[in-house]
């Protein structure tokens, strides 16, 4: 697997971990921190969505 695909997989894994952490914070009642993290997740997803198709690693869903 080349570095490009490894980076895409790492980004996908990091986003998954951030979503889990956000959900964990919500469950603990730390709503402000969960909301802040949710905004960061949305910002990262927006950047990825704005990439041209040719620049998106095939591993990203």
């Amino acid at each position: 697997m080349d570095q490009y695909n490894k980076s895409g997989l790492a980004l996908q894994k990091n986003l998954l971990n951030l979503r889990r952490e956000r959900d964990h914070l919500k469950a603990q009642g730390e709503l402000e921190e969960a909301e802040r993290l949710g905004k960061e997740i949305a910002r990262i997803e927006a950047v990825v969505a704005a990439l041209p198709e040719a620049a998106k690693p095939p591993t990203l869903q």
Side-chain angles (χ1 to χ4, degrees):
M1 185 181 302
D2 65 359
Q3 187 61 34
Y4 189 65
N5 287 336
K6 284 182 183 179
S7 296
L9 287 172
L11 177 58
Q12 197 168 9
K13 183 177 180 181
N14 285 330
L15 280 169
L16 177 62
N17 288 337
L18 288 172
R19 289 183 194 110
R20 286 179 176 161
E21 178 64 22
R22 178 201 56 205
D23 294 346
H24 180 73
L25 289 168
K26 280 183 185 179
Q28 290 184 326
E30 296 182 41
L31 301 180
E32 285 184 24
E33 186 63 18
E35 184 178 339
R36 184 196 66 75
L37 189 53
K39 288 178 183 178
E40 289 300 314
I41 292 167
R43 184 182 63 79
I44 294 167
E45 290 172 339
V47 169
V48 171
L51 289 172
E53 281 300 316
K56 291 182 185 176
T59 57
L60 286 179
Q61 298 174 357

